Amino acid sequence: SRHVVVQNEDLSWSLVPLLEGDPQPVPGLEPDDRPTTWSQDGKALFGFRRGELPGRIFRLDLESGAREVHRELKPRDASGVVEIVSIQLTPDGRSYAYSQHRILSDLFLVDGLR
């Protein structure tokens, strides 16, 4: 694609041409969304919303703003998983990798107990 997607100060999203032209709003992309990958045909974006469990990868049609859940991510062992942090996806949407934030315990240091 010859565009980039940027988040504006007001948390809206714009599609900005790299060569010339004016930025255009991205219909259907919400402030908490995290776009990750262009589709193969360049007519859609894949993305996710950080903090959702299970994590949902969505496919967003750039013309209509229509959004569909493409894949749901559920760690095999969800113990202590508090959020999906980032997702990388191939343009065909078939292969992916993601990172998660896991908290298994808290450690406390106590002085002066009797």
Side-chain angles (χ1 to χ4, degrees):
S1 181
R2 291 183 167 86
H3 295 83
V4 293
V5 176
V6 298
Q7 192 166 32
N8 304 304
E9 285 183 14
D10 66 357
L11 301 181
S12 65
W13 294 91
S14 292
L15 189 62
V16 180
L18 293 175
L19 298 177
E20 57 184 59
D22 296 323
Q24 300 296 317
V26 181
L29 203 54
E30 299 173 9
D32 291 335
D33 291 340
R34 296 292 168 251
T36 61
T37 307
W38 295 99
S39 64
Q40 269 181 318
D41 62 9
K43 295 180 180 182
L45 279 174
F46 289 104
F48 74 105
R49 184 168 289 178
R50 188 172 171 176
E52 281 188 344
L53 282 177
R56 290 177 187 87
I57 298 172
F58 61 81
R59 186 179 191 279
L60 179 75
D61 183 284
L62 291 171
E63 188 173 309
S64 69
R67 172 195 298 249
E68 63 183 40
V69 174
H70 175 72
R71 182 178 304 269
E72 220 173 68
L73 302 176
K74 297 178 193 174
R76 261 190 262 183
D77 178 8
S79 302
V81 176
V82 294
E83 69 178 325
I84 303 295
V85 179
S86 66
I87 296 173
Q88 297 299 318
L89 194 72
T90 57
D92 64 6
R94 292 183 184 174
S95 301
Y96 62 92
Y98 67 94
S99 64
Q100 62 196 23
H101 183 191
R102 182 185 302 258
I103 301 173
L104 293 175
S105 65
D106 292 318
L107 179 63
F108 299 93
L109 177 62
V110 180
D111 287 328
L113 284 181
R114 296 181 188 182

